[in-house]
Amino acid sequence: MVFCVFDVDVDPKKNKIIQEAIIFANKNGIQIITSTPCVELWFLLHFEYTTAHLSNQEVMKRLHKFYPKYAKNINIFPDINKNVDFAIENAKRLEKYQKDSKKKIGTVETNPNTEMYKIVEYLRENS
């Protein structure tokens, strides 16, 4: 399985780019994974659940409350791995919340949301 991970960000122009990527990915056996607004939301969900509409900066600010030394260039996995089940539960709950709100996953409008749990579950099932 090949995954391609996208930060959706908050710019509505990104919706078109992601839709084009999904079409390409479907033709080539690639699964698109999105995080709205950013992948750091996945890290944040290891500590808290939220449905608040967030900018990238707001996600980082919240994440720093729980993990003050976070930076994009460090591996935080060893420190947050103990909370991965909580993060998966939060991500699934958030995805349900967005779908129940009639939002399309993988769009700017689905803020916040992350599909990173799909990679983790895949790795768990296939290791």
Side-chain angles (χ1 to χ4, degrees), residues 85-102:
D85 290 327
F86 184 64
I88 290 170
E89 177 184 314
N90 285 338
K92 288 181 175 181
R93 183 176 164 202
L94 192 51
E95 184 173 86
K96 181 182 181 328
Y97 168 82
Q98 294 295 359
K99 287 179 177 179
D100 288 349
S101 299
K102 308 294 185 224

Side-chain angles (χ1 to χ4, degrees), residues 54-72:
L54 299 165
S55 68
N56 294 6
Q57 295 80 13
E58 290 165 330
V59 172
M60 295 295 280
K61 185 176 178 182
R62 284 182 179 219
L63 180 57
H64 277 112
K65 287 180 187 175
F66 298 102
Y67 199 87
K69 62 184 179 180
Y70 177 76
K72 286 189 176 278

Side-chain angles (χ1 to χ4, degrees), residues 40 43 60 64 67 69-77:
E40 284 81 10
F43 304 147
M60 295 295 280
H64 277 112
Y67 199 87
K69 62 184 179 180
Y70 177 76
K72 286 189 176 278
N73 62 347
I74 66 167
N75 178 11
I76 71 170
F77 181 74

Side-chain angles (χ1 to χ4, degrees), residues 17-58:
I17 295 167
I18 292 171
Q19 287 309 306
E20 290 171 357
I22 289 170
I23 291 167
F24 176 82
N26 288 339
K27 291 178 182 175
N28 293 283
I30 300 168
Q31 183 169 351
I32 299 292
I33 299 294
T34 58
S35 283
T36 308
C38 55
V39 72
E40 284 81 10
L41 175 65
W42 168 245
F43 304 147
L44 179 63
L45 291 177
H46 284 71
F47 302 103
E48 74 172 359
Y49 173 79
T50 182
T51 59
H53 188 277
L54 299 165
S55 68
N56 294 6
Q57 295 80 13
E58 290 165 330

